[in-house]
Amino acid sequence: MADIFQDCDRFLLVLIDGDSMPFLDEFLPRSIEGGEDAGKHLRSAVLDYYKTNAKFHADDRIIIRVYANVRGLGRTYKAAKIIPEESIFDQFITGFNKSHPLSDYIDAGAHKEAADSKMKANFELFYRNRHCQHIMFGGSADSSYAGFLGPYTLPGTINDRITMIEGSPFPYDLRKVAQGFQQVSLETIFRATKIQVANGSQVVAGVKRPAAESLMPSRERQAPVTSLTSSDGKSRQAALSLTPSPVIYQNQYGQRLDIPLHPDKDYLKFLYEKNSRLCNNFYLRGHCPYGANCEWDHSQKLSQAQLDTFRYKARTSNCRNPFCTDPTCCLGHMCPRGNTCNIAQCKFLPEMHNIDVSHVFQYNTETKERKELKPS
């Protein structure tokens, strides 16, 4: 009897990170019709692949979930001139969702790691579900999945419950992990390269970025420091919790710009060599939600130059959203190597290289006011 129930409601789960696995350009301009075709082609390709699996049953259902930052991806498609208006992408999604009752293209939101977190949570949930026979996982351009998927590899053998879908080539770390799973490339569905954003007559990864000096200089806010006396009578320095400035900077496409910083080279060397455990939330965002329970250091008193240097170091970790509008975000939105970056699988997205700063806008995230800054 138990075997009968176990054979009921069997399904295959397909998880796609839409930000790192974009559909072929040919689907997008066709709006609703293109979305329907993309959904149907994907389902057909998945079925053809799954039929080769020894666990395949003819009545197995296929559940497809695509997660993406819809607004940010729509902007990228428009900037790359794949679609004339962002609304076309919304219609594409409508068509995709119409293609089958068990096919969903879901807006994960614009916050950091929005799609990643949903991909991982769904994977963990369904991997433990005995009715889930197989998971096809598509996030080939995102190296952060390497650490997540690593524990699901099996020593000395292939984990045949998981298939990695490759669109653009796997980054180095993810490629090593993917060797522990089955792999498939659905080249008739997904792009084999990352989206290239057009800039005039030139096509580059991202959009053109002149020298950083063309950005108007700005000092980022330092949280004021106050002296606190603890129960042991010792005086400690702590930053007051302030609401950060709501102002951020963008280019004409709405991409987030990082104001240039001038780090203290000696202090930067110290931060790296001493493996500093300064708390990003406390020093760079103005408030740490963990308070006294935080495992990171809140005790140092930093000068403005040291704060700028610490912020510079924090920016070497990339934000996953090139259109980030979180004014407290302290991660990098522009590859620090800029035009000189020659890393084949740079952790910064293609859109975060060679960014166009010919027009710089100041954007107030509270009032939604956006005004262009004129060079002085």
Side-chain angles (χ1 to χ4, degrees):
M1 182 67 71
D3 290 339
I4 294 176
F5 284 110
Q6 187 167 349
D7 285 340
C8 293
D9 298 323
R10 292 164 47 106
F11 64 90
L12 158 70
L13 177 66
V14 182
L15 293 173
I16 304 294
D17 182 334
D19 295 325
S20 68
M21 291 276 294
F23 286 92
L24 288 176
D25 295 358
E26 64 194 57
F27 292 116
L28 275 298
R30 293 166 50 219
S31 182
I32 292 178
E33 180 186 2
E36 282 195 80
D37 280 354
K40 291 176 180 177
H41 278 72
L42 175 57
R43 183 168 291 274
S44 176
V46 166
L47 179 59
D48 288 343
Y49 169 76
Y50 188 48
K51 283 180 178 178
T52 65
N53 191 299
K55 295 181 180 179
F56 170 74
H57 282 195
D59 57 351
D60 287 350
R61 290 185 287 182
I62 298 174
I63 299 173
I64 299 175
R65 292 181 177 173
V66 183
Y67 293 101
N69 170 8
V70 169
R71 186 179 181 190
L73 191 54
R75 286 177 173 177
T76 300
Y77 279 129
K78 181 182 178 182
K81 302 188 184 304
I82 296 172
I83 55 176
E85 298 295 337
E86 294 174 32
S87 60
I88 299 295
F89 185 44
D90 294 331
Q91 295 167 17
F92 169 87
I93 292 173
T94 298
F96 185 93
N97 290 335
K98 284 178 59 181
S99 68
H100 193 278
L102 293 178
S103 291
D104 298 303
Y105 200 119
I106 302 165
D107 184 5
H111 56 284
K112 290 184 289 296
E113 299 183 354
D116 304 41
S117 62
K118 293 189 179 295
M119 291 279 289
K120 294 172 183 177
N122 276 267
F123 183 97
E124 290 175 331
L125 174 65
F126 288 105
Y127 188 80
R128 295 191 294 266
N129 187 320
R130 66 178 184 176
H131 299 293
C132 182
Q133 304 302 305
H134 197 81
I135 297 178
M136 296 181 69
F137 191 93
S140 68
D142 191 340
S143 60
S144 71
Y145 290 126
F148 170 73
L149 292 170
Y152 293 93
T153 58
L154 303 176
T157 188
I158 297 293
N159 184 340
D160 61 4
R161 282 197 65 202
I162 301 170
T163 293
M164 296 287 293
I165 304 174
E166 183 173 25
S168 57
F170 293 123
Y172 176 74
D173 289 346
L174 190 56
R175 184 167 66 250
K176 290 196 299 182
V177 172
Q179 293 172 0
F181 309 117
Q182 297 175 347
Q183 299 178 40
V184 65
S185 177
L186 303 180
E187 65 275 1
T188 62
I189 313 296
F190 299 107
R191 292 177 58 107
T193 59
K194 297 179 181 180
I195 296 175
Q196 305 293 298
V197 177
N199 177 40
S201 60
Q202 184 182 17
V203 177
V204 295
V207 283
K208 184 180 178 183
R209 177 191 177 193
E213 286 70 26
S214 62
L215 276 176
M216 296 184 67
S218 172
R219 300 304 294 268
E220 300 193 39
R221 175 181 297 202
Q222 175 187 5
V225 176
T226 184
S227 179
L228 301 178
T229 302
S230 62
S231 57
D232 60 6
K234 295 181 180 179
S235 178
R236 304 184 187 280
Q237 299 293 335
L240 289 175
S241 298
L242 290 182
T243 302
S245 168
V247 173
I248 62 172
Y249 296 89
Q250 301 174 326
N251 69 4
Q252 59 185 318
Y253 301 107
Q255 290 176 285
R256 178 75 171 265
L257 302 179
D258 294 327
I259 298 302
L261 297 172
H262 302 286
D264 180 317
K265 293 182 179 179
D266 291 336
Y267 187 62
L268 185 63
K269 182 179 179 181
F270 170 81
L271 290 176
Y272 278 109
E273 290 183 350
K274 300 300 182 181
N275 193 23
S276 168
R277 290 184 57 81
L278 295 176
C279 176
N280 282 4
N281 285 330
F282 189 78
Y283 288 102
L284 303 181
R285 299 175 73 110
H287 171 70
C288 176
Y290 303 103
N293 295 321
C294 181
E295 297 179 356
W296 298 82
D297 187 2
H298 292 190
S299 66
Q300 304 297 314
K301 180 179 179 180
L302 304 184
S303 67
Q304 183 64 54
Q306 289 173 329
L307 273 174
D308 285 349
T309 304
F310 183 41
R311 187 178 298 277
Y312 179 90
K313 179 177 181 289
R315 286 183 183 173
T316 61
S317 295
N318 63 311
C319 176
R320 292 296 303 165
N321 181 10
F323 299 95
C324 174
T325 56
D326 177 2
T328 69
C329 181
C330 57
L331 301 178
H333 305 88
M334 305 165 73
C335 176
R337 288 170 290 274
N339 296 335
T340 64
C341 182
N342 57 5
I343 299 176
Q345 298 295 338
C346 179
K347 61 185 177 182
F348 282 82
L349 298 173
E351 302 94 313
M352 294 179 175
H353 292 76
N354 306 309
I355 295 180
D356 180 5
V357 293
S358 57
H359 298 276
V360 177
F361 293 81
Q362 180 176 286
Y363 177 65
N364 189 310
T365 58
E366 290 182 353
T367 65
K368 310 303 180 185
E369 179 184 5
R370 191 169 188 257
K371 63 179 181 180
E372 184 173 1
L373 301 180
K374 301 299 182 182
S376 55

